[in-house]
Amino acid sequence: MDQKEIIEGLKAVCICKGIRKKSFMAHVEKGIKTVQGLKKATGAGSGPCEGRRCTPRIEEMLKPK
Ligand code: FES
């Protein structure tokens, strides 16, 4: 893993709950590849904004590169 990937992993995806990209990616690697699945696994989307900010970021992460 290079420095860029490490920095990327530290970015907060769900700001309300303080959940970083690397937490989501760990679940993606285990086979969870849906927005709902990732929300359930990480707790994202349950903060005060109710997922308005993080849902688009989660969708973006799941898009094929
Ligand atoms: S940013 Fe995820 S619930 Fe608000």
Side-chain angles (χ1 to χ4, degrees):
M1 190 185 287
D2 64 22
Q3 200 174 11
K4 201 175 153 199
E5 285 174 315
I6 294 167
I7 293 166
E8 187 65 24
L10 291 173
K11 283 185 182 164
V13 173
C14 179
I15 295 159
C16 295
K17 307 292 272 187
I19 308 166
R20 298 177 191 280
K21 187 171 180 178
K22 63 180 180 178
S23 302
F24 289 88
M25 295 320 286
H27 289 290
V28 170
E29 279 164 28
K30 286 183 203 155
I32 301 173
K33 305 217 164 143
T34 63
V35 174
Q36 282 312 315
L38 285 175
K39 281 184 173 176
K40 203 172 164 201
T42 61
S46 59
C49 85
E50 297 175 345
R52 276 191 294 276
R53 288 185 290 182
C54 56
T55 301
R57 292 193 189 113
I58 298 168
E59 286 168 351
E60 187 61 36
M61 260 191 300
L62 290 171
K63 274 189 192 164
K65 299 269 166 357

